[in-house]
Amino acid sequence: MLHNSAPSIMSRDPVFRVALTGDELLNSARFNKGTAFTVAERKAFGLTGRLPSRVNTLDEQCERAYAQLETRDSPIRKNSFLQSLKSQNIVLYYNLLSSQAEAISDYSHLFRRSEGLYLTFTNQDSMEEDFLEQTKDRNIDLVVCSDSEAILGIGDQGGIGISSAKAVIYSLIGGVDPSQSLPVVLDVGTNNETLLNDKLYVGWPHKRVRGEEYDKFVDKFVQLVRKYFPHSLLHFEDFGVANAQRLLRRYRDSHAVFNDDIQGTGAVTLSCVMAAVGVTKSKLSQQRYIIYGAGSAGMGITRQLRDAIVSTDGVPAADATALFYLIDRHGLIKQSLGKDDIREDQQEFVRPDDEWVGVKENGNGEISLLETVKKIKPTVLIGCSTHAGAFTEEVVKAMAEGCERPIILPLSNPSRLVEVDPKDANDWTNGKALLATGSPFPPAKMPNGKEYIIAECNNALIYPGLGFGAMISKSRGMTDSMIIAGARRLASLAPALKDPDDALLPDFADAPEVNFEVAVAVAEQAVEDGGVDVTWKKEEARERVRQHLWKPVYGEYVYDEAGMK
């Protein structure tokens, strides 16, 4: 049972002072209501002769729009309809999406239209001018940027679509006013040969810029964000593994920056594990962790869990680090691997060779997942490798022999790349496994005939709330303590804490209410930490978050020639 229901979260209808009239008002996507303008508003704003007689409610408009959407028989045509709707009526667009949970969960995959700010390497001399032109007279709370190098399931791509999609999710689920968000693409070229050879490719047809030139370009952009919107959240999305952690580390002490692939994935996974150890009546520090896949997501999960162990259980960092065993394409990451096979961000988690004397190796001196499981008897097995089927029956059964309720989280997506089908993991452990996946899966049958709900470890359950909490508190950074506070609040909402055979995370349909709670927890922690530019107290955080939630509803319009609010 969530602490708040949707009506109590979104209870206030805004009043806007509007100076637009006639066609100018109808052509404003932000303020257009279409047939929902009241009779009084039609008279006040010169709309009576421009609209048909009947006044519709927003629900009626939404019903009509959904029926029109359903007549489109392909994703491309559906997307075209949605983007046309967005350009005409922002409130109706977001209301339609928010009423369809499936549309929200699929949005990032469906979204294709480009919009926002394009910053191209060749035009960096005019970057500040372009930035100011796009943000003129706007209060920006959220900047979502990507260099489009590592888009999930697609790889190296040009375009701004992923930044726009993330910004939309912040509004749909997190309550961020869409007029205060800015999607940005940092076009530094592409190494995608298909795009480079495509005469219709609209991005910069050049190999990706690397090294010092890349860093200077990104830094110029970041400094503009810091200069003009010092209290905004800067969200990094789908940067390649060589840059993601490095950029986060470089800027996190000087601005509120957030990388969803690292911190969002880490936070929602931490919540899942917190809920699981709540079921087993144990502690984070009492687990043994195998992370299968040590890229950006895997390292983000590892660090988030390690930091939470230190913070919540009071364990020294070195002892917490020793609980983790990382496996990548070279097998277990241990000392004897070649120098080029261990990245800088993996160094502190390298296992000493003397731990593995007598353990079976392959012909290249590598230790497999199965041998690692047999040796350490993990209680937590997390997959973020996109290595389909890696958690074999032998691996899962070996893990189940070593603990009463193994925590198995095959998080790779899409579902065809999952390390193990949760149904199989459930069967192979006789219903003992505590499971969550990165993509939606149907329930699995328990030995007693009960259905076990497979939790979807979806970043959207937490990152909009993390970001909104930082924005509301005007925090000067997105700190580890803020992220852990948000993760702890999400974990507290897990159905499994009331029924150990229920889901480890709330249903995705509850994402708006869940993120509200996350935002409150983050804002409370930010104020407690003290790195904020607000005067209100921690106890006021819930009401402050509630007051600032944007909602896709029509407000009351009052004509005001002096301007708009």
Side-chain angles (χ1 to χ4, degrees):
M1 185 72 177
L2 297 175
H3 296 165
N4 292 77
S5 62
S8 63
I9 290 177
M10 301 179 177
S11 59
R12 292 175 172 82
D13 292 332
V15 175
F16 295 100
R17 298 192 302 274
V18 181
L20 303 176
T21 60
D23 289 340
E24 194 175 17
L25 178 55
L26 294 176
N27 290 328
S28 168
R30 181 182 178 191
F31 291 104
N32 181 29
K33 295 186 185 182
T35 57
F37 280 109
T38 65
V39 173
E41 288 172 334
R42 295 180 187 206
K43 291 179 180 178
F45 292 95
L47 302 176
T48 303
R50 290 178 168 87
L51 293 169
S53 174
R54 183 173 176 181
V55 175
N56 288 124
T57 65
L58 179 56
D59 286 343
E60 289 171 341
Q61 288 182 315
C62 196
E63 183 179 351
R64 180 192 298 127
Y66 184 69
Q68 293 171 340
L69 177 66
E70 286 294 280
T71 65
R72 273 61 177 179
D73 56 6
S74 70
I76 291 177
R77 293 190 68 202
K78 288 179 185 293
N79 182 59
S80 177
F81 173 81
L82 287 173
Q83 297 317 311
S84 176
L85 182 62
K86 186 179 182 183
S87 68
Q88 297 173 54
N89 187 326
I90 285 286
V91 169
L92 179 54
Y93 165 80
Y94 277 100
N95 193 281
L96 174 63
L97 285 182
S98 65
S99 67
Q100 303 297 324
E102 182 179 354
I104 298 174
S105 61
D106 290 344
Y107 190 81
S108 292
H109 304 286
L110 180 66
F111 191 85
R112 290 294 179 269
R113 185 186 178 195
S114 296
E115 58 182 74
L117 175 60
Y118 295 80
L119 297 177
T120 305
F121 184 80
T122 53
N123 297 332
Q124 57 185 299
D125 289 344
S126 64
M127 184 188 291
E128 184 164 14
E129 179 183 342
D130 297 338
F131 183 90
L132 292 175
E133 178 64 29
Q134 187 72 348
T135 60
K136 184 179 180 181
D137 298 326
R138 295 179 64 188
N139 177 30
I140 302 297
D141 288 330
L142 170 67
V143 179
V144 183
C145 73
S146 178
D147 71 356
S148 305
E149 183 175 5
I151 296 177
L152 180 64
I154 303 175
D156 187 345
Q157 296 286 312
I160 203 169
I162 190 63
S163 297
S164 298
K166 283 288 183 177
V168 167
I169 297 297
Y170 268 105
S171 296
L172 278 174
I173 296 176
V176 177
D177 187 335
S179 70
Q180 296 175 355
S181 63
L182 177 68
V184 180
V185 63
L186 302 174
D187 189 350
V188 294
T190 178
N191 290 339
N192 185 324
E193 292 294 335
T194 301
L195 295 179
L196 290 172
N197 295 320
D198 185 353
K199 65 181 181 180
L200 298 181
Y201 176 55
V202 297
W204 183 38
H206 190 279
K207 288 287 187 179
R208 279 189 175 271
V209 174
R210 302 289 190 190
E212 186 177 352
E213 286 187 313
Y214 174 91
D215 286 351
K216 286 183 177 179
F217 179 72
V218 173
D219 187 65
K220 188 170 185 176
F221 161 70
V222 173
Q223 299 311 324
L224 287 175
V225 174
R226 293 187 62 210
K227 177 180 178 180
Y228 292 105
F229 303 106
H231 296 122
S232 65
L233 176 75
L234 177 54
H235 177 121
F236 291 116
E237 184 69 25
D238 287 342
F239 282 75
V241 67
N243 293 317
Q245 183 66 52
R246 189 174 61 84
L247 291 175
L248 180 62
R249 191 164 53 242
R250 178 175 182 179
Y251 294 112
R252 67 175 308 179
D253 292 334
S254 59
H255 192 83
V257 297
F258 180 76
N259 186 305
D260 186 40
D261 306 300
I262 297 172
Q263 295 162 296
T265 301
V268 74
T269 306
L270 170 60
S271 295
C272 205
V273 176
M274 282 178 163
V277 300
V279 170
T280 60
K281 303 292 192 294
S282 58
K283 296 180 179 180
L284 292 173
S285 58
Q286 294 172 329
Q287 314 306 313
R288 296 176 298 280
Y289 302 85
I290 290 180
I291 310 296
Y292 187 77
S296 293
M299 295 311 301
I301 290 169
T302 300
R303 282 197 165 78
Q304 195 68 74
L305 285 165
R306 190 269 309 274
D307 293 347
I309 291 169
V310 173
S311 174
T312 61
D313 293 353
V315 174
D319 293 346
T321 299
L323 298 173
F324 292 85
Y325 300 77
L326 273 53
I327 296 177
D328 66 5
R329 65 184 185 280
H330 303 294
L332 179 74
I333 297 179
K334 56 187 177 67
Q335 284 177 327
S336 55
L337 285 182
K339 191 173 182 181
D340 294 337
D341 296 331
I342 302 176
R343 297 195 314 273
E344 180 183 353
D345 62 331
Q346 299 170 336
Q347 288 288 346
E348 60 184 319
F349 295 95
V350 174
R351 306 302 307 194
D353 285 339
D354 58 17
E355 287 182 346
W356 306 93
V357 175
V359 176
K360 180 181 177 182
E361 299 179 341
N362 66 15
N364 296 321
E366 299 168 351
I367 296 176
S368 69
L369 170 61
L370 177 59
E371 295 304 322
T372 306
V373 169
K374 289 179 177 178
K375 168 73 174 176
I376 73 163
K377 296 179 171 53
T379 58
V380 180
L381 176 59
I382 298 173
C384 37
S385 66
T386 66
H387 180 186
F391 298 173
T392 63
E393 182 174 0
E394 192 174 6
V395 166
V396 171
K397 286 186 172 179
M399 183 180 179
E401 289 175 3
C403 61
E404 178 59 29
R405 297 214 67 177
I407 301 167
I408 302 177
L409 311 179
L411 302 181
S412 290
N413 51 39
S415 56
R416 60 184 173 80
L417 300 178
V418 73
E419 286 80 8
V420 64
D421 188 310
K423 176 186 178 298
D424 292 334
N426 181 71
D427 291 344
W428 296 337
T429 61
N430 294 317
K432 295 195 305 179
L434 294 165
L435 297 161
T437 55
S439 300
F441 277 88
K445 282 285 186 183
M446 302 283 284
N448 60 9
K450 180 180 176 181
E451 286 194 334
Y452 178 70
I453 305 298
I454 308 298
E456 184 182 350
C457 201
N458 190 321
N459 292 22
L461 284 172
I462 196 167
Y463 80 78
L466 291 174
F468 196 52
M471 294 176 220
I472 288 299
S473 61
K474 295 186 178 181
S475 176
R476 292 187 287 275
M478 176 70 83
T479 65
D480 291 335
S481 61
M482 289 162 63
I483 294 173
I484 291 171
R488 187 182 294 113
R489 184 65 57 87
L490 173 57
S492 73
L493 302 175
L497 297 181
K498 294 183 177 179
D499 178 353
D501 292 329
D502 209 335
L504 291 175
L505 290 173
D507 190 279
F508 188 76
D510 292 325
E513 292 77 29
V514 168
N515 275 282
F516 173 83
E517 290 298 328
V518 170
V520 171
V522 170
E524 289 173 342
Q525 188 65 50
V527 173
E528 184 175 314
D529 289 347
V532 298
D533 286 329
V534 295
T535 57
W536 44 267
K537 298 178 181 179
K538 174 182 176 180
E539 293 74 21
E540 301 175 60
R542 180 172 295 273
E543 184 59 26
R544 294 286 178 168
V545 173
R546 194 191 314 277
Q547 288 174 354
H548 284 85
L549 278 174
W550 180 83
K551 52 182 178 175
V553 298
Y554 296 131
E556 177 186 351
Y557 289 4
V558 176
Y559 181 68
D560 184 354
E561 190 174 2
M564 293 181 292
K565 182 179 179 181

